[in-house]
Amino acid sequence: MNTLVKELLRIFTRKVPGSLVPDSLVRGFIHAYKQLRGTQERLDFFRLVTRELGLSVNEVNTAVRLWDSAVTRGAAPATSTSASIVTSSSPDQQAVLPPLQWDAAYRAADRLASAATPLYSQLFVPISQAPDGMKFLVDMRADLMDVVAAATAAAAVAAPAQAAVPVVRGDSSSSGHGASTAATPSGSAAVAGDAREAGVHAAAAAGSVRATAPAALAVSPEEAAHLRAMAEQLRQLLAEWFSVGLLHLQHISWEESPAALLERVMRVEAVHPLGGSWEELRRRLGPRRRVFAFTHPCMPGEPLVVLHTALMDRPALCIDDILSHGDDHHHQDAQPSAAAAAAAPGPTTAVFYSISSSQPGLKGIELGHFLIQRVAERLTAEHPSLRQLVTLSPLPNFRAWLTSQLQQQQQQQQQAPAGVASSASGGGSSSQQQQEQKEQPQQLLLPAERVAVVGLARAMGWQCAAPRPASTGATPLSDLTSAAEAAAALAWLLDGDRWLSHGSAVASAPASLPAAAATSAPPSAADAASAAAAAMFSGPFAQPPQPEAAARPQPPAMPLARATGFDADSVLRPLLMRLAARYLVREKRRSFALCPVANFHLRNGASLWRINWRADMSELGLRRSLGIMVNYQYQLDNLYDNNRRYLLQHEVTTHPQVQEILTGEH
């Protein structure tokens, strides 16, 4: 590999721009790279390439001096500044230079642009023209991003106290683009996008090496800058070569698509994994299901990004509405006649329920937006009966965000006693206290929600680490229930999905009667006390109990649930739905939605339409979003306005029913 790079260095000379690279050298380069094994060998390779074929500071400095000289010689004597050629917008000043001097300025600008481009970029073009060369570059960029993630993790392990690596051109460009397309289906979760709906492959690679990253993988800040710049250079070239105008929209069908393509579609599905089930894939390709993919002429048979769509009579409330078998059973066993098919009413709703990327090397390149746009145009043309275009999307990081917020609430409470003591002794000014209150984040749980959550957790056997202070007179229980106590209780309920094991114990009892009335035996004194205590926690908006009720001893957990029939769902549903709405609408990163899937669809011009409870109760759905899913709505007439408001004013277009969920927020 070192010999090949030295040979390339002799060919890539500034004196002979556009030099042709022999085919044998290109093939040798590809073959040598494919022989590399493991992250360490690839890191050594990328170090070699960036060192020998990277950016030359001397070349850039020489080109800058040439540009300055050309501008100085070309400036008119009457012009006080020689930089008018660059900075002036006046037509009269721009016309100062004679034609020959303008030619010199353009030659100097071309020299400067060439010097600012690393030499290895001249290698990428002939590689892309080789057989399977485009696929090779996509895979190499995926490897490069994995190497950067591994090296960054190793550097953090080796020197945790080291200052952050300075941002360079390649990193800033890439991260900025990634921020604007965070949920693009270039990973796996953007309607997933996680494809974001996007970036899942790179994130997984970074996470997998963080714990076991060897110190040998650590790179210096300068080397990290070179690696990121190379990844960005590749991204820019691939973005041109994978322009949407060069892509082909391919309909994936069970009858006509080759088995190899179907296998790839099944393998890359990350939003609702197929688990290698051909029968499940066949159902997802059924009569009222549509799967489309973008393909590239240079990568035949390789789906770049895949979109799954369900044609339905109404928007889906949960993923079982789409993935269940009953909807299509009669279609699979016997195809209807042409007359029956013509007489059957057409679908009114197209539900985009999964979009996933199969190429980690194309991360940061906008493909998902155009795929949804093209599919929407095709479906509305094929089915004039369509009236709604919606998604059924996950919240891939909601549970992780909520867990982090609960931990912060508990940590803040541990630091609070010192501040309270200082305030009680008169040691702090009122202005200082006000400033500290402003800096504190908004409380996660509302007062009534704290009471309900703590009551539910105690009913299920949770024991608070810190005893609750005794009531003094008319102090309501909502004040005695601290934010940290409620956060600890909610974290305990969510841990291991413990809350799912506590359903309604007496669902058959009439709603208007207390649960104890449904039993044949008269309630005992203990049961009566249990019912009274449970009434305090009958919902997140329950009234605080009377002071004397708060002073009663707490009854055992199980009799409490049996006596009232009060279940976890009634307490946690409004709470988690509100927090999900807050996560989607108000939690931001760089002024854009923190949720990558939300960011993806909102950038596309969609609106946040509906939040669905218990919409995906699979293990994956619970792990990433506690079973909650979201409908985003695509109204073709409003896409431009929604997109403009989101990008320029950072406003999330939401339906009134979502705003109603947020009513209790301050």
Side-chain angles (χ1 to χ4, degrees):
M1 182 61 71
N2 186 71
T3 303
L4 288 172
V5 171
K6 296 293 186 183
E7 184 66 21
L8 289 169
L9 185 61
R10 286 196 291 270
I11 296 176
F12 296 149
T13 170
R14 303 297 183 186
K15 298 179 181 180
V16 188
S19 301
L20 295 177
V21 180
D23 292 341
S24 59
L25 191 56
V26 172
R27 290 194 300 269
F29 184 90
I30 295 175
H31 176 76
Y33 180 83
K34 289 182 177 180
Q35 304 308 308
L36 300 177
R37 293 294 180 266
T39 304
Q40 184 64 60
E41 289 189 3
R42 293 190 181 96
L43 174 59
D44 293 339
F45 160 77
F46 290 124
R47 279 171 166 164
L48 173 64
V49 172
T50 55
R51 182 177 65 249
E52 300 294 341
L53 302 176
L55 191 67
S56 172
V57 176
N58 292 334
E59 288 277 353
V60 174
N61 289 336
T62 301
V64 168
R65 289 193 294 270
L66 179 63
W67 165 257
D68 289 340
S69 176
V71 172
T72 302
R73 290 197 308 269
T79 304
S80 59
T81 174
S82 61
S84 62
I85 180 177
V86 185
T87 61
S88 173
S89 58
S90 169
D92 296 337
Q93 291 181 341
Q94 292 250 344
V96 169
L97 298 183
L100 291 179
Q101 292 173 325
W102 271 109
D103 287 342
Y106 277 116
R107 286 195 299 270
D110 182 69
R111 174 70 179 273
L112 180 58
S114 178
T117 303
L119 284 174
Y120 51 67
S121 63
Q122 299 184 38
L123 176 63
F124 297 152
V125 174
I127 288 179
S128 69
Q129 298 169 349
D132 297 327
M134 196 72 76
K135 172 65 173 171
F136 171 80
L137 290 177
V138 172
D139 292 341
M140 189 174 75
R141 181 171 182 259
D143 292 341
L144 177 55
M145 291 190 296
D146 288 346
V147 166
V148 171
T152 302
V157 172
Q162 186 177 2
V165 177
V167 176
V168 296
R169 180 191 65 179
D171 183 57
S172 59
S173 258
S174 178
S175 62
H177 188 89
S180 63
T181 61
T184 354
S186 48
S188 69
V191 176
D194 347 300
R196 96 236 66 353
E197 237 220 277
V200 166
H201 297 278
S208 63
V209 300
R210 187 172 300 276
T212 59
L217 289 177
V219 297
S220 65
E222 293 78 11
E223 289 177 324
H226 293 317
L227 295 176
R228 290 193 297 268
M230 185 177 183
E232 172 60 14
Q233 192 74 27
L234 263 174
R235 189 199 66 79
Q236 293 178 5
L237 290 173
L238 292 173
E240 296 180 6
W241 296 335
F242 286 84
S243 171
V244 66
L246 302 176
L247 302 181
H248 172 62
L249 180 65
Q250 184 169 353
H251 176 213
I252 311 297
S253 70
W254 182 262
E255 293 79 11
E256 299 179 2
S257 299
L261 179 59
L262 294 177
E263 184 178 7
R264 290 186 178 93
V265 169
M266 181 168 54
R267 186 176 65 247
V268 304
E269 172 56 27
V271 186
H272 303 290
L274 288 158
S277 172
W278 286 97
E279 182 60 28
E280 179 63 23
L281 177 62
R282 182 179 180 181
R283 282 193 292 267
R284 297 196 192 185
L285 298 173
R288 302 201 76 179
R289 303 292 181 263
R290 297 291 184 272
V291 177
F292 293 93
F294 267 151
T295 59
H296 192 278
C298 293
M299 296 173 58
E302 286 281 351
L304 307 179
V305 57
V306 182
L307 176 65
H308 292 250
T309 308
L311 302 178
M312 307 180 68
D313 298 327
R314 58 179 176 80
L317 295 173
C318 64
I319 194 61
D320 284 344
D321 290 346
I322 297 174
L323 302 184
S324 61
H325 312 161
D327 182 62
D328 290 328
H329 265 331
H330 63 284
H331 293 285
Q332 294 175 2
D333 297 335
Q335 292 295 330
S337 63
T348 61
T349 306
V351 183
F352 307 124
Y353 66 93
S354 172
I355 182 167
S356 302
S357 170
S358 66
Q359 306 296 328
L362 295 180
K363 179 186 177 183
I365 299 174
E366 184 66 83
L367 296 177
H369 164 72
F370 297 106
L371 179 58
I372 290 181
Q373 186 179 44
R374 293 272 293 274
V375 170
E377 294 172 354
R378 178 162 174 171
L379 290 178
T380 52
E382 293 179 357
H383 302 278
S385 59
L386 287 177
R387 296 292 180 266
Q388 284 183 304
L389 301 174
V390 300
T391 78
L392 185 62
S393 308
L395 295 75
N397 300 323
F398 172 62
R399 183 167 189 156
W401 169 82
L402 179 56
T403 301
S404 174
Q405 293 294 311
L406 293 174
Q407 292 174 350
Q408 291 181 22
Q409 293 274 296
Q410 297 177 65
Q411 293 171 358
Q412 291 168 7
Q413 187 69 15
Q414 294 174 357
Q415 301 170 357
V420 173
S422 174
S423 175
S425 62
S429 64
S430 59
S431 59
Q432 181 180 358
Q433 294 175 9
Q434 294 176 359
Q435 180 65 26
E436 291 176 353
Q437 292 177 356
K438 290 181 180 180
E439 294 176 355
Q440 290 181 354
Q442 180 182 356
Q443 293 294 334
L444 197 66
L445 304 182
L446 304 178
E449 292 173 340
R450 299 178 197 168
V451 176
V453 167
V454 170
L456 172 63
R458 289 184 182 275
M460 294 180 62
W462 174 72
Q463 298 295 328
C464 181
R468 179 183 296 172
S471 173
T472 57
T475 304
L477 187 58
S478 58
D479 292 342
L480 297 177
T481 305
S482 68
E485 182 184 10
L490 181 55
W492 183 85
L493 289 169
L494 299 180
D495 183 34
D497 296 319
R498 188 178 282 111
W499 62 283
L500 292 178
S501 63
H502 193 271
S504 178
V506 284
S508 60
S512 59
L513 298 176
T519 63
S520 57
S524 63
D527 289 339
S530 300
M536 308 173 192
F537 312 114
S538 58
F541 304 106
Q543 294 296 324
Q546 297 299 320
E548 59 273 13
R552 295 173 182 171
Q554 190 172 13
M558 292 310 295
L560 172 65
R562 287 199 302 267
T564 64
F566 124 86
D567 63 301
D569 198 88
S570 64
V571 172
L572 296 184
R573 174 173 180 166
L575 165 62
L576 294 179
M577 291 281 280
R578 180 183 65 80
L579 292 177
R582 170 177 168 178
Y583 171 68
L584 293 168
V585 177
R586 296 180 176 172
E587 296 297 323
K588 301 292 181 67
R589 179 178 182 270
R590 298 177 183 173
S591 299
F592 294 102
L594 178 64
C595 176
V597 179
N599 184 50
F600 170 72
H601 290 295
L602 295 171
R603 286 187 65 256
N604 292 346
S607 61
L608 179 56
W609 182 45
R610 186 170 60 187
I611 302 176
N612 302 306
W613 176 251
R614 287 184 176 266
D616 183 5
M617 299 302 288
S618 66
E619 181 182 354
L620 180 59
L622 290 170
R623 186 169 69 244
R624 62 189 176 191
S625 59
L626 296 169
I628 299 175
M629 299 191 76
V630 186
N631 293 124
Y632 298 94
Q633 188 174 39
Y634 281 83
Q635 295 176 304
L636 300 182
D637 295 339
N638 299 331
L639 293 183
Y640 174 77
D641 291 337
N642 293 345
N643 170 268
R644 179 178 54 81
R645 282 196 298 269
Y646 181 68
L647 293 182
L648 301 182
Q649 303 170 19
H650 310 300
E651 293 182 4
V652 177
T653 304
T654 59
H655 192 272
Q657 60 188 341
V658 177
Q659 297 175 359
E660 184 178 354
I661 297 176
L662 287 168
T663 302
E665 294 259 343
H666 294 294

